[in-house]
Amino acid sequence: MSVALEKQDAALKDAAADQRSRRSGGREARRAMRAAPLADDIRPVRAGLEGGSYGPLKQNDQERIHEAVLTLLETVGFANAIPSCIEALTKAGAIYADDGRIRFPRGLVMDTIKKAARNFTLHGQDPRHDMLIQGKRVHYGTAGAAVHLVDVEKREYRESLVQDIYDAARLVEGLDNIHFFQRPMVPRDIPDPLEMDFNTLYACVMGTSKHVGTSFTVRENVQPALEMLYAIAGGEENFRARPFVSNSNCFVVPPMKFAEDACGVLEACVDGGIPILLLSAGQAGATAPAAIAGAVVQAVAEVLVGLVYVNAIKPGHPAIFGTWPFVSDLRTGAMSGGSAEQAVLTSACAQMAQFYDLPGGSAAGMTDSKLPDIQSGYEKGITDVMAGLAGLNLVYESAGMHASLLGFCLESLIIDNDMLGHCLRCVRGIEVTDEALSIDTITEVCMNGPGHYLGNEQTLRLMQTEYFYPAVGDRFSPKEWNEKGRPDILQRAIIEKKRVLAERFPRHVPKLLDDKLRARFGEMIKLPRSGMGG
Amino acid sequence: MSVALEKQDAALKDAAADQRSRRSGGREARRAMRAAPLADDIRPVRAGLEGGSYGPLKQNDQERIHEAVLTLLETVGFANAIPSCIEALTKAGAIYADDGRIRFPRGLVMDTIKKAARNFTLHGQDPRHDMLIQGKRVHYGTAGAAVHLVDVEKREYRESLVQDIYDAARLVEGLDNIHFFQRPMVPRDIPDPLEMDFNTLYACVMGTSKHVGTSFTVRENVQPALEMLYAIAGGEENFRARPFVSNSNCFVVPPMKFAEDACGVLEACVDGGIPILLLSAGQAGATAPAAIAGAVVQAVAEVLVGLVYVNAIKPGHPAIFGTWPFVSDLRTGAMSGGSAEQAVLTSACAQMAQFYDLPGGSAAGMTDSKLPDIQSGYEKGITDVMAGLAGLNLVYESAGMHASLLGFCLESLIIDNDMLGHCLRCVRGIEVTDEALSIDTITEVCMNGPGHYLGNEQTLRLMQTEYFYPAVGDRFSPKEWNEKGRPDILQRAIIEKKRVLAERFPRHVPKLLDDKLRARFGEMIKLPRSGMGG
């Protein structure tokens, strides 16, 4: 600060202190006021805020990408379709050729886009957590299949367990800026694929009443899961009316081949009433073109094939346009989830979903860093805020993830919730109304007022509704920080994690119902009662 | 990852290894290739990339802000003008009234905007660092007046010294993604204002050949500085032709009052040929309205007054539209530089500069966190990338800053250089050409090729020109990271800082010239030769 600014600053601090002592209660009262939860509709940030103020692709770029996609679907198509898939697709108008590839006429693709489900709700077990997936409404959530849990106290990676999934779900249950919970880790303590799929889902739906996403290894694993979900919903009809679980489905092995097992899962989920996240996870420079535009083209082409597939089986079944390309570090071929290229790639995918007016989901918030550090902060911040500003409907992987999806960290989940609050506040943008333009306020303060805005009616009013405050983020002055023993954000997150995990045992699934599930599935349920609050 | 994806991943790793062994030299050769510097015009990121793909304000919002600004300048105007300012402004058409305020008719403001300098260059001592300030071209740099240096090894704040300023300048000299160096700290070891101003500037211009920004406390301090600058330039005419220093000038005490000392400095700098950064540093909720739109209105009004002032003294003198409002944490009244509100506020200011087609500068990259940690990472990342995407010409404070401008950190400077590389890569955006759309590449790989893009000609070509690689950022796999002793980014930055500071003693100002300066200014120069490499 210049000397003039320093003087101004000192004067302001005096004025602020003065205001504080004059206003009834002062700083402590305002702190208490902040601690009280706000009504949902006046909170500074919330699920479903509208993005769209950023977009790396111009309209003409989007049209060219679309045109390239149609060309590829007509001429290259997909390999490795399973018989049921070939049957459904050819019946719908796709062409199965001698070279074993199935190709898609433009009319079929365009017709599918026109008729596909859009503007639908992804439900929570608790309707407060329902997400209307529409336009440029933004929701942040977890995802992934990390094989490690990051132990920040020991600074080491250990294998992830089913208890970790349940713990992550319980944390997410109380983190306002994480709107859905797709399973972020695989339970390495449950090697059997059927038991792994079943327990992953069980840990998720018992841990949180928010919308859950999960995977299945093979078609046969869907049935027991459906039985559990129908039971929790109080009947199949209830689940079909408000499906609170979606299936994250890697139906494609990029470039342009069907994943046979995943196709079986897809068919079973559509049949059972589970919404599908059509996930194309190519990696630019490895399984997708290194050119960012080309990676978008391939991802869009692949997901449109999935959309044709779902709609061929069941017209209008809810499906998420999951163009989800990753990025390679081209020096090594390894994935780089925290890269800048990832940020623009994901944002471009958000725009392509909007181009088709389809519900879009893609990945951001990944980082290459192994621990919650400054690198993970900026990599997560940049990718997550750009995805939100681009109006991506569902930002997967947005919290907790490290090491380019190989490690998940519970402390990061808590810190990232703050960061996502920042992102949402950025997505909310700037209100420009006569009142907000503040001509009268400025005039009054300058001409008749105290020369500052500290006690101004406008300031007090906007404090709660327009400004976002972090929960664990630190805004102390260096002096306060020093006096308080130089607190560390990671230490605060560790303490908060331990507090929540010791106290929060969600009971949205009543114990009686859980007893019934345990009676029905017996040994199949591996998460011990002791880990669920007894 | 699903099992299908895992299989795919394993197959890819095999293929990648295969490619590596087949291509001459393999991974090490590619690493060596990366280590060689690229020609400036094919580097993936560089100074002056064009932003503009993000903007929180719609066109109509900008027009309403402009209209509110004109109303305020007509009706409220400015208090506290010094006599020379009153004389210049009234001569230009402003109206000085009985209430001591000076008001600005619309015609005068619009005329000034029309005639003001735009599309000019901010020079470096080395022409390689010249910055053309135009349109939505983005440049990142430092700024500030921190009173502390952050000692990351001791985790403490100590008073900043003139040597720290010189060291920061030396580091910036070699950091490609930091394009200019405005003095980030005040030398607390030099209490006398004249000596402080002089030595601050001396430390900056001796430490880096990039464009420098600095402040002066009072008018009288400008003359000796000019004498030094003219000497370095090899004559007054040379400096006036290529001024490599600009004056960061807080001519306004918000709301809407002149800062008397700074006005004196402004007049002396205009007279001496130094470009002016017209800096309005209100703080929303304290010295500016809490409504974000209102804070923008006030900042624009204030800077336009500065523009009228500069152009009244010397028409067409280069001035930067420095709408630079900060944000309060309204719970305490303290500044929150890392807040989300700051990110949207700064981006809106970038748009208003573009609205007037004036060279814009504002602040981003500040953080409330005291140390380089995950919070500082996401706060810096979010604010810096949004400022860049908004096409802000000069992003001040973008690197090294902590504790809402109270602490500066040399290690963060090094890490932030990586982060700004990410930001610039995001600003660069996505190239959509026939080649980039990759129809042929995808077709070839799927129909006739190996089924992946690892060895593809396109991949190898784009590796160096389209992908940004961090210098200290970590992309190891958890396994490699573990084998390498779990390296920490902060440790890497500490080592790099020490290496550079031990080795780099810039000599763009020849020793002979420095001898002359020391002979001329004698005791006035406080930075010892020993701290400058002897």
Side-chain angles (χ1 to χ4, degrees), chain B residues 81-96 102 258 267 308-309 312-313:
Chain B
I82 58 177
S84 54
C85 175
I86 295 172
E87 193 193 327
L89 289 175
T90 51
K91 212 164 149 186
I95 297 151
Y96 185 62
I102 192 154
F258 282 106
E267 292 178 3
V308 172
Y309 186 15
I313 306 171

Side-chain angles (χ1 to χ4, degrees), chain A residues 239-263:
Chain A
F239 181 81
R240 287 182 180 273
R242 295 182 41 84
F244 52 83
V245 170
S246 52
N247 169 231
S248 172
N249 192 294
C250 292
F251 68 98
V252 53
V253 180
M256 312 288 271
K257 297 186 293 292
F258 282 106
E260 303 178 5
D261 284 343
C263 288

Side-chain angles (χ1 to χ4, degrees), chain B residues 168-214:
Chain B
R170 290 195 289 152
L171 287 170
V172 164
E173 179 69 1
L175 295 170
D176 281 347
N177 305 317
I178 302 179
H179 306 126
F180 60 93
F181 183 72
Q182 184 152 308
R183 74 93 161 75
M185 293 168 270
V186 292
R188 302 283 285 173
D189 47 346
I190 308 181
D192 176 75
L194 172 62
E195 292 183 348
M196 182 184 81
D197 289 351
F198 188 85
N199 281 279
T200 298
L201 180 57
Y202 177 79
C204 292
V205 297
M206 299 303 280
T208 182
S209 64
K210 296 184 181 181
H211 185 79
V212 158
T214 197

Side-chain angles (χ1 to χ4, degrees), chain A residues 1 3 5 8 12 20 30-31 34 53-55 61 64-65 68 72 76 101 103 145 154-156 217 250 253-256 284-294 297-298 327-332 336 338-341 344 348 368 370-378 381-382 385-386 389 406 418-419 422 425-426 430-434 436-439 442-443 446-447 451-454 458-459 462-463 466-469 473-476 478 481 486 488-489, chain B residues 1 3 5 8 12 20 30-31 34 53-55 61 64-65 68 72 76 101 103 145 154-156 217 250 254-256 284-294 297-298 327-332 336 338-341 343-344 348 368 370-378 381-382 385-386 389 406 415 418-419 422 425-426 430-434 436-439 442-443 446-447 451-454 458-459 462-463 466-469 473-476 478 481 486 488-489:
Chain A
M1 283 181 280
V3 170
L5 264 183
Q8 174 190 344
L12 272 171
R20 278 198 291 275
R30 290 208 306 290
R31 284 211 167 128
R34 281 282 330 147
S53 53
Y54 161 66
D61 296 335
R64 291 181 72 186
I65 288 170
L72 281 174
V76 176
R101 299 191 77 91
R103 293 182 174 80
K154 293 185 184 161
R155 285 177 54 88
E156 68 180 27
T217 315
C250 292
V253 180
M256 312 288 271
T287 54
I292 305 292
V297 165
Q298 185 182 301
V327 164
S328 303
D329 184 312
L330 295 179
R331 297 170 301 183
T332 60
S336 173
S339 62
E341 293 78 14
V344 288
D368 299 321
K370 262 48 73 191
L371 293 171
D373 60 7
I374 186 168
Q375 180 187 349
S376 81
Y378 76 71
I382 289 172
V385 82
M386 285 171 62
L389 293 174
L406 291 172
D418 269 1
M419 176 192 68
H422 278 245
R425 178 63 190 83
C426 293
I430 301 177
E431 193 183 36
V432 180
T433 60
D434 282 341
L437 287 168
S438 309
I439 295 179
I442 296 171
T443 303
C446 290
M447 305 287 284
H452 61 76
Y453 300 81
L454 284 162
Q458 186 197 57
T459 304
L462 297 183
M463 182 178 138
E466 289 273 323
Y467 282 70
F468 172 76
Y469 302 93
D474 164 23
R475 290 182 170 179
F476 291 128
W481 177 72
R486 304 177 194 165
D488 177 90
I489 190 167
Chain B
M1 283 181 277
V3 170
L5 265 184
Q8 175 190 342
L12 272 173
R20 278 197 291 275
R30 289 209 305 289
R31 284 211 165 131
R34 280 284 326 149
S53 53
Y54 161 66
D61 296 336
R64 291 180 71 186
I65 287 170
L72 280 174
V76 176
R101 299 190 78 91
R103 294 181 173 82
K154 294 186 183 160
R155 284 176 54 88
E156 69 181 25
T217 314
C250 292
M256 312 288 271
T287 53
I292 305 292
V297 165
Q298 185 182 301
V327 164
S328 304
D329 184 313
L330 295 180
R331 298 170 300 185
T332 61
S336 173
S339 63
E341 293 79 13
V344 288
D368 299 323
K370 261 50 71 192
L371 294 171
D373 60 7
I374 185 169
Q375 179 187 347
S376 80
Y378 75 72
I382 289 172
V385 81
M386 285 171 63
L389 293 173
L406 291 171
I415 298 168
D418 269 3
M419 176 192 69
H422 279 244
R425 180 63 191 84
C426 292
I430 301 176
E431 191 184 38
V432 180
T433 59
D434 281 343
L437 287 166
S438 309
I439 296 179
I442 296 172
T443 303
C446 290
M447 305 288 284
H452 62 73
Y453 301 80
L454 285 163
Q458 186 197 56
T459 304
L462 297 183
M463 183 178 136
E466 290 272 322
Y467 282 69
F468 171 76
Y469 302 93
D474 163 25
R475 291 182 170 180
F476 291 128
W481 176 72
R486 303 176 194 166
D488 177 89
I489 189 167

Side-chain angles (χ1 to χ4, degrees), chain A residues 188-207:
Chain A
R188 302 282 287 173
D189 47 344
I190 307 179
D192 176 75
L194 172 62
E195 292 184 347
M196 183 184 79
D197 288 351
F198 188 85
N199 281 279
T200 297
L201 181 57
Y202 176 81
C204 292
V205 297
M206 300 303 280

